[in-house]
Amino acid sequence: MSFESLAITWFVLEGVLLTGYAILDGFDLGVGILHPFVPRTDLERRISMNSIGPLWDGNEVWLVTFGGALFAAFPEAYATVFSGFYTAFMLLLVALISRAVSMEFRSKMASPSWRRFWDRAFFGGSFTATLLFGVAVGNAMIGVPIDAQGNVTGSVVDQLGPYPLLVGAMTVALFAMHGGLFLYLKTEGDFQQRLREWMWRSWGLFMVLFMLTTVATVAFIPRATENFRSFPWALVVVVGTILAVANVPRCLYRDRPGLAFLSSAGIIAGLVALFGLALYPNLVTAAGDPSRSVTIWNAASSPKTLGIMLVIAVVGMPFVLTYSGVIYWTFRGKVKLGEHSY
Amino acid sequence: MDAVTLSRIQFAVSVGFHYVFPLLTIGLGVVLVWLEAWFLKTRDPIYETAARFWTKVFALNFAIGVATGIVMEFQFGTNWATYSRFVGDVFGSALAAEGIFAFFLESGFLAVLVFGWDRVGPKMHFFSTLMVSLGSIFSSVWIVVANSWQQTPAGHHVVGVLRDGAPLLRDGQPVLRAEITDFWAMVFNPSTVHRLVHVWIGAFLVGAFFVMSIAAWYLLKGRHGEFARRSFDGGLVLATVSALAMLVSGHGQAGSVYRHQPAKLAAFEGHYVTGPADLNLFGIPDEATQSVKLRVAVPGGLGLLLHGDAAKPVVGLDRFRPEDRPPVALSFQSYHVMVALGMAFIGLTLLASFLRWRGTLYETRWLLWLFVPAVVLPIVANELGWVAAEVGRQPWVVHPPVTWTADGTDVVAGPEGRVVYDERLGLRTLEAASPNVSARQVLGSLLGFGFLYLALGAVWVLVLHRKIQHGPDEASPPPGGGREGALEAAALRAVHGGRMTDGEARG
């Protein structure tokens, strides 16, 4: 394969890894965001945590692999993004650590204040991580200042502008809805009934923020829509995403929660695809001076390495998909608490 | 302090804390596979009880390992951007391979291992345990490959970065990066296999001492007698074999370090002047006089170990310019304490094995009391081994090659008899950090992680202590124990001893 097609292939594969992460850990994070609001008793809080108990760890691996693959395929972008968003990434790491250990620690002691503490850490970690993911996407959309040496300048305060925060808020609403739909599939009885209103609320909130984000994007980021001129077929993604957004309330109304969950996964996949279309061929867009942007052409590894990585991906991914399938099949159905649960 | 120093401290703190958990995961994973294999073979419920107990401990360690491991994956980019740009083509591939081949396997089947006892049959459960254990071992493979490449780079070339067809310049100098030329030569670089075996044995020692520590405590308290004796026996076999194997592995590795990083070995041994070399058992290296004070040494011992000939010369630190030498005191002491601990493990495990053979081990209470806190020692030895390996590599983050004379007795030296490294082929740690990250930012994150890890460590010890206090469940749970609806299950458990009710602790 030529260097061009390898670089494009890896851009697409990074998108696939990001989509996998956003859909799968998206519902984990959403369950965390809803944690203070929906479950009322200790038993319900345990059910909420155990719904993602066997799954979150494998889901987070999509993020780790996304990071590793970015390092290998586009080292220049990996270095620029991670050092450029230093403080935000450190906050993200603390949030992800809190989310993970709160599930593990919460059930280990009976004291109500102990459990309350870890409930808060679970929510705080999930909420902060989701917000920061959205903020990161927002910054990537508007572009960041890059100096002549190829390094991002500006502080975390500059990175919390109105547009990134708007995308962050939309992501929180989206994952809350996605997590609510997931939890609905995993619960029964009164708890499940209470989830209904939260699914409607989060869908409504997402709807409003999604429209605001779309308007802001079309109005203020001309580059975001330029690629549609080169790839008119990509308009299918726009239509598909809008249909998926509309399909969620339709399925909720008709009591088809499984389809509603698939639709919200479709929304996430659509939004990640649109994000990729807006960026291409940039990985980090330089605000002001396009010549300083980090693109898939100037950030990629050698063709040899991209080829080796492609072999690794082609050999490894069928295994990953197979055992992910086995795990999800093993833990299908409603949450059952047992001796080893959280 | 400047940003580079702070980033170094942050890396050391975060990897030092994280590393405790993979060690326990790899070590305990082997124990779990062994227990479940015996359960499948004999169907003796005591093995299942034991496997269930160690699974709970394993899950706790695994979760903290995963949580703190993400920091490692991102930290190359956040704090060491220049390094990442230089090595991404090579080093990134190993990390990506780890994600695809190891992490998915490990974390996927972990779900079945921890939560699947009542959802799958014993054979599927055993298979999952095996896969988790394999996954943790694969993960160590790729990490050691990546780190070994920094120590003894191979299978790559260093070339100028092109931007739009023209060489990319920074401050008038061409920007360089390493690119893979031969993937398998990169994977099996000269130090990979030695170091991997060393790391595995180190992990087995930790796992075995961890099991023996808890089992010894139960034996001393007269609790869970049968479970504790079998656990201790298994741990002792693993520990004794590992301690002896470590001697062979350590010896082989010292030879490899001498060949590829002679300055590092000279720092380990406090060997300042090229020539016949003694083996220092203790001592305090003194930079001012370029000698080791208060030393106890085997005359000619180092030459004997490296060359089989006490009189043959060994390359010393005087072959290297001062700015190319690692910090001697820290390399020397961490290496020596590690070796001393390794010797202590051999003595301790051989003594315990002898008493076990005589049948008096479980009456020798003082020795059992020694095993309770002894779990700390192999963890310390592992950490010190990494301190020696990484500090000894300084001032390089990617070590440049060393050339030997044709007869292999001395390094090729430039004027003044000192090695002139090809700076283009390596990277100095001082030049590897992110140029746009300030000392204040790193200080903030370092304090944040320091505080968080202290808290996590404390909670981990607390929770672990409670799990050990609770111990394994003596009776097997009722068949199909997890298949009822959640509420029925809770009600059932509430009758059976009051667990799992609102606000109650679980085992």
Side-chain angles (χ1 to χ4, degrees):
Chain A
M1 281 169 89
S2 68
F3 172 67
E4 280 71 26
S5 44
L6 280 167
I8 293 171
T9 305
W10 270 104
F11 182 74
V12 173
L13 285 176
E14 283 291 327
V16 170
L17 288 168
L18 190 60
T19 308
Y21 176 70
I23 291 177
L24 297 175
D25 209 28
F27 67 70
D28 299 335
L29 292 167
V31 168
I33 293 167
L34 294 177
H35 195 68
F37 306 109
V38 188
R40 282 186 188 158
T41 62
D42 186 66
L43 181 69
E44 288 181 355
R45 291 196 187 95
R46 286 190 58 204
I47 290 172
S48 152
M49 282 188 173
N50 279 290
S51 70
I52 61 169
L55 308 174
W56 70 266
D57 185 3
N59 295 343
E60 207 173 78
V61 175
W62 289 84
L63 177 68
V64 174
T65 306
F66 170 80
L70 188 67
F71 195 177
F74 302 108
E76 186 70 34
Y78 170 81
T80 305
V81 172
F82 283 68
S83 63
F85 291 89
Y86 187 87
T87 305
F89 265 110
M90 292 298 149
L91 283 174
L92 174 68
L93 290 171
V94 170
L96 287 175
I97 293 175
S98 308
R99 188 272 296 251
V101 299
S102 57
M103 282 183 277
E104 190 58 41
F105 286 152
R106 182 185 184 278
S107 61
K108 301 298 189 285
M109 299 235 195
S111 146
S113 51
W114 169 271
R115 294 192 167 196
R116 215 160 30 237
F117 177 82
W118 293 114
D119 282 331
R120 284 181 190 152
F122 184 50
F123 165 75
S126 305
F127 176 83
T128 311
T130 308
L131 184 71
L132 288 172
F133 284 131
V135 167
V137 170
N139 276 298
M141 292 290 291
I142 54 175
V144 286
I146 293 181
D147 67 15
Q149 314 296 321
N151 293 305
V152 173
T153 57
S155 73
V156 67
V157 181
D158 308 322
Q159 290 157 1
L160 291 173
Y163 181 81
L165 282 175
L166 175 64
V167 180
M170 180 189 79
T171 314
V172 171
L174 173 62
F175 282 5
M177 172 184 81
H178 193 51
L181 288 165
F182 175 77
L183 209 47
Y184 190 85
L185 296 172
K186 304 298 273 185
T187 51
E188 306 166 283
D190 181 45
F191 185 16
Q192 193 190 32
Q193 286 315 306
R194 257 180 288 133
L195 273 165
R196 293 192 70 89
E197 56 174 315
W198 281 94
M199 293 189 297
W200 281 106
R201 277 179 202 167
S202 52
W203 178 80
L205 186 62
F206 166 70
M207 220 11 230
V208 173
L209 292 167
F210 174 59
M211 287 195 288
L212 282 176
T213 309
T214 307
V215 170
T217 307
V218 173
F220 301 116
I221 310 174
R223 205 178 30 76
T225 43
E226 259 168 30
N227 275 328
F228 287 110
R229 252 169 266 160
S230 329
F231 313 110
W233 50 264
L235 286 166
V236 175
V237 182
V238 180
V239 177
T241 308
I242 292 170
L243 287 179
V245 174
N247 199 38
V248 170
R250 181 172 159 269
C251 294
L252 284 181
Y253 189 73
R254 295 192 169 183
D255 207 19
R256 304 280 297 277
L259 272 181
F261 178 72
L262 284 182
S263 301
S264 83
I267 298 173
I268 295 174
L271 289 176
V272 176
L274 290 174
F275 173 52
L277 276 164
L279 277 185
Y280 181 86
N282 290 357
L283 291 163
V284 189
T285 304
D289 185 354
S291 72
R292 289 181 179 174
S293 292
V294 179
T295 67
I296 63 169
W297 316 123
N298 64 30
S301 285
S302 62
K304 172 135 187 147
T305 296
L306 292 176
I308 293 168
M309 293 285 303
L310 194 58
V311 173
I312 290 176
V314 168
V315 172
M317 283 322 275
F319 282 102
V320 170
L321 295 176
T322 307
Y323 37 73
S324 300
V326 170
I327 306 312
Y328 274 80
W329 176 250
T330 305
F331 293 96
R332 68 194 181 278
K334 306 293 179 188
V335 177
K336 308 273 187 269
L337 296 183
E339 184 202 354
H340 290 268
S341 306
Y342 287 140
Chain B
M1 266 190 277
D2 58 302
V4 183
T5 310
L6 288 164
S7 289
R8 281 175 143 160
I9 297 173
Q10 180 171 301
F11 202 94
V13 166
S14 51
V15 77
F17 185 79
H18 168 69
Y19 193 63
V20 174
F21 301 97
L23 275 179
L24 286 166
T25 308
I26 295 171
L28 276 182
V30 174
V31 173
L32 281 175
V33 169
W34 185 78
L35 286 171
E36 290 200 36
W38 275 98
F39 173 66
L40 273 187
K41 198 175 161 208
T42 63
R43 297 284 166 172
D44 183 347
I46 193 157
Y47 289 111
E48 201 201 355
T49 308
R52 279 176 180 256
F53 172 72
W54 294 114
T55 298
K56 287 181 188 169
V57 177
F58 182 89
L60 175 67
N61 295 336
F62 195 96
I64 305 181
V66 169
T68 55
I70 304 186
V71 180
M72 306 318 304
E73 184 91 6
F74 289 177
Q75 205 171 176
F76 301 108
T78 51
N79 292 65
W80 303 97
T82 307
Y83 168 78
S84 301
R85 290 180 171 119
F86 181 69
V87 303
D89 194 289
V90 181
F91 191 90
S93 314
L95 288 199
E98 183 190 28
I100 290 179
F101 290 135
F103 287 156
F104 276 116
L105 186 69
E106 211 178 0
S107 58
F109 284 103
L110 179 81
V112 181
L113 169 60
V114 177
F115 299 94
W117 287 97
D118 304 317
R119 283 187 179 250
V120 298
K123 280 188 185 149
M124 176 62 189
H125 198 273
F126 171 71
F127 178 74
S128 305
T129 308
L130 191 64
M131 290 301 114
V132 172
S133 179
L134 265 184
S136 66
I137 287 174
F138 285 170
S139 162
S140 68
V141 170
W142 292 106
I143 285 301
V144 172
V145 163
N147 185 275
S148 296
W149 182 83
Q150 286 176 264
Q151 311 274 356
T152 57
H156 72 295
H157 61 178
V158 174
V159 292
V161 176
L162 297 180
R163 187 65 45 96
D164 304 320
L168 180 66
L169 301 178
R170 203 154 283 164
D171 305 325
Q173 295 289 320
V175 178
L176 301 173
R177 73 172 184 184
E179 291 181 357
I180 296 178
T181 52
D182 180 345
F183 181 73
W184 294 109
M186 183 276 282
V187 169
F188 291 103
N189 67 69
S191 63
T192 298
V193 176
H194 281 297
R195 302 177 83 240
L196 195 51
V197 171
H198 205 66
V199 160
W200 285 343
I201 301 173
F204 295 159
L205 274 172
V206 170
F209 269 83
F210 188 77
V211 169
M212 288 194 293
S213 160
I214 296 171
W217 191 74
Y218 287 149
L219 286 167
L220 288 163
K221 295 283 162 192
R223 291 171 54 191
H224 316 295
E226 185 59 21
F227 163 81
R229 270 188 296 278
R230 290 204 201 185
S231 295
F232 198 95
D233 285 351
L236 186 56
V237 172
L238 183 60
T240 312
V241 174
S242 304
L244 290 170
M246 195 54 119
L247 193 63
V248 182
S249 153
H251 175 69
Q253 219 194 319
S256 160
V257 171
Y258 180 60
R259 182 83 359 217
H260 299 283
Q261 298 169 294
K264 185 188 204 175
L265 193 84
F268 282 175
E269 300 288 358
H271 182 50
Y272 282 97
V273 184
T274 303
D278 302 343
L279 186 68
N280 290 317
L281 301 180
F282 300 100
I284 300 170
D286 183 35
E287 281 298 303
T289 59
Q290 299 280 295
S291 64
V292 179
K293 288 188 168 167
L294 300 173
R295 68 186 197 136
V296 178
V298 180
L302 187 56
L304 197 63
L305 282 178
L306 289 174
H307 305 304
D309 181 351
K312 271 198 180 174
V314 174
V315 171
L317 285 164
D318 59 352
R319 281 279 182 273
F320 303 91
R321 295 180 301 172
E323 65 268 32
D324 293 342
R325 294 182 195 174
V328 180
L330 188 52
S331 309
F332 179 94
Q333 299 301 359
S334 52
Y335 178 76
H336 274 79
V337 176
M338 173 193 75
V339 173
L341 284 170
M343 296 301 166
F345 300 146
I346 295 177
L348 195 59
T349 52
L350 281 182
L351 175 65
S353 299
F354 175 72
L355 294 176
R356 180 72 187 85
W357 174 65
R358 289 277 300 269
T360 56
L361 174 65
Y362 297 132
E363 282 74 56
T364 316
R365 292 183 68 86
W366 66 268
L367 189 60
L368 292 180
W369 271 120
L370 204 59
F371 270 104
V372 175
V375 59
V376 177
L377 300 178
I379 294 176
V380 169
N382 272 278
E383 297 276 353
L384 288 176
W386 276 107
V387 170
E390 299 297 280
V391 173
R393 192 192 58 227
Q394 304 304 324
W396 309 100
V397 65
V398 177
H399 200 285
V402 175
T403 345
W404 289 81
T405 54
D407 61 355
T409 54
D410 201 351
V411 288
V412 174
E416 301 166 30
R418 287 183 165 167
V419 168
V420 182
Y421 287 110
D422 187 345
E423 301 265 347
R424 290 175 355 107
L425 299 182
L427 184 66
R428 287 180 187 270
T429 312
L430 281 176
E431 288 157 11
S434 303
N436 53 338
V437 173
S438 69
R440 245 184 64 204
Q441 281 175 297
V442 186
L443 186 63
S445 60
L446 175 60
L447 289 176
F449 281 126
F451 187 71
L452 182 67
Y453 284 0
L454 273 180
L456 274 186
V459 175
W460 176 63
V461 170
L462 185 75
V463 169
L464 194 62
H465 179 69
R466 287 177 64 97
K467 276 195 186 297
I468 296 166
Q469 286 279 356
H470 180 273
D473 294 314
E474 294 291 352
S476 332
R483 293 214 184 266
E484 314 88 344
L487 291 168
E488 290 90 320
L492 190 74
R493 295 294 165 97
V495 176
H496 282 263
R499 288 199 282 113
M500 272 183 65
T501 43
D502 225 356
E504 280 272 339
R506 190 167 52 81

